[in-house]
Amino acid sequence: MGENKSELGLLVYIIPFLAIVPVMHSQGWDSSESAILIVAVPFVTFPVILVAGQIYNGHETWKDKLKEGGILALGALGTSLMAAIWLVYDYFDSLPDFADQNSIAHWLEWVSFDLLQSDYTLTSSKNILGVGVWVDSLTLMLLFVATFLCFLICWFSLGYMNTDPINEDRNHRFYAEFVLFAMGMFGMVLADNFLWLFIFWEVMGLCSYLLIGFYFWKESAAYAAKKAFLTTRVGDVFLMIGLLILYDIYGSLEFSVIFEDPSINGTVDSDKLFWALLMLFVGAVGKSAQFPLHVWLPDAMEGPTPVSALIHAATMVTAGVFLVVRCSPLFEYSETALNLVTIVGMITAIFAASVALVQNDIKKIVAYSTCSQLGYMFFAAGVGAYHVAMFHLFTHAFFKALLFLGSGSVIHAFKDEQDIRNMGGIRKKLPYTYALMLIGTLALTGFPFLSGFYSKDAIIEFAYLRGSSLGNYAASIGIFTAFLTSIYSWRLFFKTFHGSYNNKNIPINETHESPFVMLAPLLLLAIGAVFSGYLFKETFIGHHSTDFWQASVFFLDEIKHDPIPIWFLFLTPTLVVISIPIAYYYFIYNTKILDDFKKTNLPLYYFLLNKWYIDELYEKLFVFPAKKIGSFFWKQGDLGFIDRFGPDGISKLIKKLSNKAGLFQTGFIYDYAFAMLIGLSVLLTYLILN
């Protein structure tokens, strides 16, 4: 990694971008009309960075002043952030009464034509691909999270990506794909129908493939990118099936049609609705890396650290939670579907937490924590606490982005080293990163009065208040998972910053603190990790939270706010607090105990280290048979039949005939004269006989 090159001073170049929204406001533009900027500016910036990077690659101004397109990307995302803030402020300022929040602002209405009916008559012209925004509390909360985090992550990238020699003359591709990814996020959140939600989600899927495989010359990165792309395509198939069933039920994919009366006065076929919800949920499972379609997410850490933060903390993997909550008016009419959501969330939470206990890659540990926290969000939605699921999504975004970018700062100091066994003893060398990672760790574990404490405990409490056996199981799993989360989080923290220095390749004096351009976004995220839970608890999950969520989240039954036993309230925080000295003792003070335990329980250790052998199971059940089938069709079908009797067969036949014909080309006149004589004799014979 190189030295700080005053990237912070270059932020002045984004001022023209940030001036766009104030100018539009002064000209009398409406915030909903200007919402198109949130998607349009990144979309336009994408080809600009890509083309300019190809033309000016290596040019001094392009490289040093514009950071290979990083400044343009940051300016575009800053514009989206300001437009989002304007929309949020204007919406809540102008609508103090939340009784009817849902509103649609249409940008374009296009592809209008007549449709042929079964009786061969034409219907009246219909607009079937209208592009618009669906504005409600759910949209605006997630939109702010997405725009804010994308801006900060891009800001961090100016220091992380542009000081790494390995990325020389390639960063224009990174920033172009980054803004296109962000465009997909923003479009998905703002979409006013399921079709455009799906389309924008696919844009994110494409960009995640490109960004995970950014270091394409590394076999592991290329493999991880393909794995992520193919696994999420499984979710796509089910999602499309679900959308087709929804269209069959409601005759539309517009939110305004489907959510206006989800039961259509009680006439909706419950079985058909269940299958639609099941397909949608499986799609969300694939996209959000839930068990058993989680296998792509840890491997996605092969991409640059900002990409990891973008995928995990923003809306890429949390979009599945968003989809389930958005469809709450439908899920409320299918208890079976909700129970399935709860069960999958429970399994994912405990699975990911258990695997994270023994991982050694700093980013993979944080990645598995994302899987686990997403499990919390899903089973919160499954028990009907949709608002609590979104509250945890909100707080999780801050501390998870903080942990990923903090890990990036550590990797930056260790010159791309990611194994925590090769770290340790650097808290004095990286004091700011140490303090910021400490805040992120405390928030993730649910330490009292930090953001994770308010949202995670709320999930456990609402699961308990459901009063069902499944709810009690979910609450128990949540408590145990919280303890495991605290253990593996402190393991990462202590082994990274405490104990003795263990890196034999890099002298400790060569490690250094990250530049301010990288630390500034972490500081802003740390503020969110500390205060977001306390400041927004009452708004999102308080007694009057239905006033906030009323039009965007549907509750068939009234939300319970019954008293909870004192012992239950203190159980999870107590386990979280006592886990700190336990982790320090076993991971720093007396490591021999764990070493001995590992030696005597090797099957358990390897079971967790190999991620419950799910990847190996997939290899045997799906990958190996697919390769065998592919090999069969290649050898027997392609080579054995198509090539043999097609292009290759025809060419061989022509070649063979040509060789035979060549035998008659001797070059001797008497041979040609003899052939002419034979031909003339045959012709005369034919004429005489006929």
Side-chain angles (χ1 to χ4, degrees), residues 162-478:
N162 293 81
T163 57
D164 193 341
I166 198 174
N167 300 323
E168 285 294 330
D169 301 328
R170 296 189 182 94
N171 283 326
H172 65 281
R173 183 167 65 86
F174 170 83
Y175 289 115
E177 293 164 1
F178 191 105
V179 294
L180 187 62
F181 192 113
M183 186 275 294
M185 287 186 190
F186 307 155
M188 187 211 70
V189 175
L190 288 166
D192 66 338
N193 63 75
F194 283 106
L195 176 62
W196 281 105
L197 182 148
F198 178 77
I199 292 172
F200 283 117
W201 209 340
E202 290 307 287
V203 173
M204 282 196 291
L206 172 63
C207 293
S208 66
Y209 166 77
L210 297 172
L211 289 169
I212 293 169
F214 181 73
Y215 303 125
F216 57 86
W217 57 89
K218 295 169 58 179
E219 185 177 348
S220 57
Y223 176 80
K226 289 185 287 186
K227 187 176 182 179
F229 189 79
L230 293 174
T231 306
T232 53
R233 295 294 74 74
V234 175
D236 289 341
V237 172
F238 286 95
L239 190 57
M240 285 190 291
I241 295 172
L243 296 184
L244 289 173
I245 299 175
L246 279 184
Y247 188 84
D248 182 59
I249 296 174
Y250 298 100
S252 174
L253 293 177
E254 298 283 340
F255 295 161
S256 57
V257 175
I258 296 175
F259 297 150
E260 182 179 7
D261 186 5
S263 67
I264 313 182
N265 297 316
T267 62
V268 170
D269 187 334
S270 59
D271 291 335
K272 187 178 290 188
L273 180 61
F274 166 76
W275 282 108
L277 295 176
L278 178 62
M279 297 297 104
L280 292 177
F281 176 62
V282 175
V285 166
K287 295 288 195 178
S288 293
Q290 294 293 282
F291 187 92
L293 298 178
H294 65 279
V295 292
W296 67 271
L297 192 60
D299 290 346
M301 299 303 100
E302 289 290 339
T305 299
V307 175
S308 303
L310 190 66
I311 292 175
H312 287 252
T315 59
M316 172 66 183
V317 294
T318 56
V321 181
F322 169 75
L323 177 63
V324 172
V325 175
R326 173 64 79 199
C327 294
S328 59
L330 304 177
F331 276 96
E332 283 292 282
Y333 288 98
S334 179
E335 185 178 356
T336 305
L338 282 176
N339 290 339
L340 181 62
V341 174
T342 305
I343 293 169
V344 171
M346 290 163 51
I347 295 173
T348 305
I350 191 69
F351 159 77
S354 66
V355 171
L357 287 170
V358 298
Q359 300 301 307
N360 298 306
D361 187 300
I362 187 172
K363 290 201 314 181
K364 284 192 176 182
I365 297 173
V366 184
Y368 276 111
S369 80
T370 299
C371 281
S372 185
Q373 299 307 304
L374 286 169
Y376 271 100
M377 299 174 202
F378 270 103
F379 82 65
V383 299
Y386 307 103
H387 58 321
V388 186
M390 294 306 300
F391 182 40
H392 193 51
L393 186 154
F394 182 77
T395 61
H396 173 266
F398 292 101
F399 61 72
K400 187 50 55 71
L402 175 60
L403 286 171
F404 265 116
L405 298 187
S407 299
S409 182
V410 173
I411 296 169
H412 177 272
F414 278 97
K415 302 180 180 178
D416 295 325
E417 175 62 66
Q418 296 184 191
D419 195 324
I420 60 175
R421 294 173 296 183
N422 297 327
M423 301 177 183
I426 58 168
R427 64 184 184 280
K428 294 182 179 179
K429 299 291 295 183
L430 282 71
Y432 301 114
T433 300
Y434 174 81
L436 293 166
M437 284 284 286
L438 176 60
I439 293 173
T441 302
L442 289 169
L444 171 62
T445 60
F447 193 84
F449 309 115
L450 273 74
S451 60
F453 165 76
Y454 293 100
S455 57
K456 190 185 295 184
D457 277 28
I459 292 175
I460 297 171
E461 292 166 10
F462 272 86
Y464 176 81
L465 287 174
R466 184 178 184 181
S468 65
S469 57
L470 188 60
N472 291 334
Y473 284 131
S476 302
I477 291 292

Side-chain angles (χ1 to χ4, degrees), residues 109-113 115 126-130 193 195-196 254:
E109 289 291 346
W110 53 293
V111 191
S112 176
F113 55 85
L115 298 177
K126 293 184 178 181
N127 298 315
I128 63 169
L129 286 177
N193 63 75
L195 176 62
W196 281 105
E254 298 283 340

Side-chain angles (χ1 to χ4, degrees), residues 14 17-18 37-38 41-43 45 70-84 146-155 175 178-183 185-186 310:
I14 72 172
F17 287 92
L18 301 182
L37 292 175
I38 301 172
V41 174
F43 181 70
T45 307
I71 296 297
L72 298 178
L74 188 64
L77 296 174
T79 303
S80 296
L81 174 60
M82 293 197 67
T147 53
F148 184 63
L149 290 188
C150 284
F151 180 78
L152 293 185
I153 295 169
C154 188
W155 184 354
Y175 289 115
F178 191 105
V179 294
L180 187 62
F181 192 113
M183 186 275 294
M185 287 186 190
F186 307 155
L310 190 66

